[in-house]
Amino acid sequence: MSSALIVGGSGGLGREIARHLVERGDDVIVTSRSADRATEVAAEIGARGLAIDLTAPETIEKALAEVGELDHLVITAIEQSGNTVKSFSIEDAIKASTVKLVGYTEVARVLHDRFRPGASIVLFGGLGAVRPYPGSTMITATNSAVSGVMRTLAVELAPVRVNALHPGVVGDSPAWRERDLAMVTARTPTGRVTSTAEVVDATDFLLRNGAANAIDLHLDGGTRIV
């Protein structure tokens, strides 16, 4: 049985990744900023819940104090919204960069001596890293920076493997399932959007494949190339 911590595992893609790991028999911890939310979701999927807030990185070490040895760490947590240059919100920009850059790195720092041999980390970026759009300035910047964080962690935490996953539009996820995605599928070579099951499968691959290290895996059906 492996042990896994899913930071951001109380909702969206993180929750489905956590559910998959629980179903295969792993000991899983899911986190949310809200202790009540983390406990509720953990009870629903058979995991353990923990409150952690990546927008307040100075609190991360204390929040993770009860976490023991780990085989896997997945960080899906985000803090992002449309933030155009012409109507730039400094507050929103600071939150977005704090979560993805400082928060992700601080979690890895706090846990670095608790990783078991063969341990692996997956950090979540996003298609916005290579496919900017109006209002994506901070989304593009922070998701691009996830790649840099990943590569440095792969060196500094070696032999722990560290990879980054960049999903495109995940059509059946809570964020997208109610939207008209015709324009997205029209410019995607596969003619369809990514599914939650495919994101879960890709995460599992990066976690378990011993040769996968320092990889930016784009899961978008090729949207970024057209």
Side-chain angles (χ1 to χ4, degrees), residues 1-192:
M1 181 175 67
S2 297
S3 59
L5 172 64
I6 315 300
V7 178
S10 64
L13 297 174
R15 176 174 176 155
E16 294 310 308
I17 293 166
R19 186 196 305 276
H20 169 75
L21 297 179
V22 168
E23 289 177 351
R24 79 175 185 189
D26 288 0
D27 178 24
V28 178
I29 301 172
V30 297
T31 81
S32 172
R33 292 181 191 175
S34 163
D36 290 342
R37 173 67 177 166
T39 300
E40 177 186 357
V41 172
E44 291 173 357
I45 68 174
R48 291 182 285 153
L50 184 68
I52 181 173
D53 184 359
L54 299 195
T55 67
E58 66 278 2
T59 68
I60 290 174
E61 184 164 17
K62 182 177 180 180
L64 293 175
E66 65 185 68
V67 176
E69 292 187 334
L70 290 171
D71 297 291
H72 305 303
L73 169 65
V74 179
I75 311 182
T76 67
I78 60 173
E79 176 68 43
Q80 63 185 29
S81 58
N83 195 2
T84 67
V85 173
K86 294 178 180 178
S87 301
F88 193 63
S89 167
I90 294 176
E91 180 180 0
D92 289 348
I94 290 173
K95 284 183 179 179
S97 55
T98 297
V99 168
K100 289 263 183 173
L101 306 185
V102 183
Y104 280 28
T105 305
E106 175 65 356
V107 170
R109 182 200 70 80
V110 170
L111 297 175
H112 79 274
D113 59 355
R114 305 181 212 177
F115 291 119
R116 292 172 176 158
S120 56
I121 300 171
V122 175
L123 308 179
F124 267 61
L127 180 61
V130 294
R131 192 80 186 226
Y133 53 89
S136 78
T137 297
M138 291 311 301
I139 294 172
T140 296
T142 54
N143 283 334
S144 297
V146 166
S147 299
V149 171
M150 174 270 290
R151 286 191 290 271
T152 61
L153 292 182
V155 172
E156 293 203 35
L157 300 183
V160 174
R161 294 182 299 103
V162 189
N163 294 288
L165 182 59
H166 302 273
V169 172
V170 183
D172 58 350
S173 68
W176 292 100
R177 66 169 63 110
E178 302 300 328
R179 303 192 194 186
D180 182 359
L181 302 177
M183 291 183 63
V184 178
T185 56
R187 67 171 185 257
T188 303
T190 58
R192 65 178 185 84

